[in-house]
Amino acid sequence: MKKIACLLFALTALPFLSFKQDFNKPVQLNWDTHFKGNPDNNSPFYALTAMTWRYSYNSTVYRNRVEIKLTNQVSIDKNRSWVKWDKIKNPEVRESLLHHEQGHVNIQYILLLEADRVLKNRTYSVKNYKAQISQLANEISDFFDTMQRNYDEETEHGSNHKMQARWDEIIEDKMNESLEASRTGK
């Protein structure tokens, strides 16, 4: 089987106001809906999923304590996400590549859950809470960017089916763990 490659752009930690995200499940990718961009013919990859994590917050200081109301969102930029249809004509290859791309979306969903839990459940200093929140958000972003790169490298962009299956389990376990933690507040 030909080596299939993909690339993920995770534009993270952008402090923009955003709409309420559905925290119950990740977006399910669909070639027709989520990949409207023009392919980069100079890229060695067969698909690109462009995603963004945005967060914003309102803060209140009460009795020397900072409370934040967090808005947290991940989204797929369908106009920047693309696929090279001429490279994936075989239906099984298309399905395999879409499955791999879904893994990227699922990792970004875990980022959403973890960012929500971690940023909300911290005690911040009244004097420098903005810097603390920004630093923590950047650490979360860096962690998940590394996870995304490791996912691609270890699965060989989805072409190593044994490693893809291993990562599918890792991602599923972490999603379940993060969902449970978000429900219990731990």
Side-chain angles (χ1 to χ4, degrees), residues 4 14 31-32 34-35 41 48-49 57 60 66-68 79 86-87 94 101 115 140 148 155 169 172-173 177 184:
I4 297 176
L14 300 174
W31 286 127
D32 296 329
H34 296 105
F35 296 86
N41 292 321
L48 178 137
T49 303
Y57 61 89
T60 306
V66 178
E67 293 183 19
I68 66 166
N79 293 318
D86 59 321
K87 303 288 186 186
R94 282 185 184 189
E101 293 299 305
I140 293 166
Q148 294 280 13
T155 64
E169 289 177 16
E172 185 70 27
D173 289 347
E177 178 184 309
T184 62

Side-chain angles (χ1 to χ4, degrees), residues 116-182:
D116 194 70
R117 183 181 63 80
V118 170
L119 291 171
K120 284 181 179 177
N121 293 318
R122 287 284 198 255
T123 302
Y124 299 104
S125 164
V126 173
K127 291 184 180 181
N128 64 347
Y129 70 90
K130 290 179 182 180
Q132 289 175 326
I133 292 169
S134 179
Q135 179 181 348
L136 189 54
N138 286 334
E139 290 171 6
I140 293 166
S141 175
D142 290 346
F143 176 86
F144 283 95
D145 284 349
T146 299
M147 187 176 182
Q148 294 280 13
R149 281 191 303 277
N150 290 344
Y151 173 63
D152 264 342
E153 289 171 11
E154 292 179 20
T155 64
E156 299 172 42
H157 300 274
S159 64
N160 182 328
H161 297 291
K162 182 177 178 183
M163 287 304 290
Q164 182 67 52
R166 182 175 180 271
W167 267 94
D168 289 347
E169 289 177 16
I170 292 167
I171 292 168
E172 185 70 27
D173 289 347
K174 187 61 179 163
M175 260 197 318
N176 291 334
E177 178 184 309
S178 295
L179 271 170
E180 183 61 29
S182 71

Side-chain angles (χ1 to χ4, degrees), residues 59-70:
S59 59
T60 306
V61 177
Y62 179 72
R63 293 189 179 185
N64 211 24
R65 179 182 158 109
V66 178
E67 293 183 19
I68 66 166
K69 182 177 180 188
L70 180 71

Side-chain angles (χ1 to χ4, degrees), residues 22-44:
D22 178 8
F23 281 74
N24 295 320
K25 60 184 177 185
V27 170
Q28 295 303 299
L29 284 180
N30 176 298
W31 286 127
D32 296 329
T33 304
H34 296 105
F35 296 86
K36 302 268 186 199
N38 293 324
D40 178 356
N41 292 321
N42 295 320
S43 171

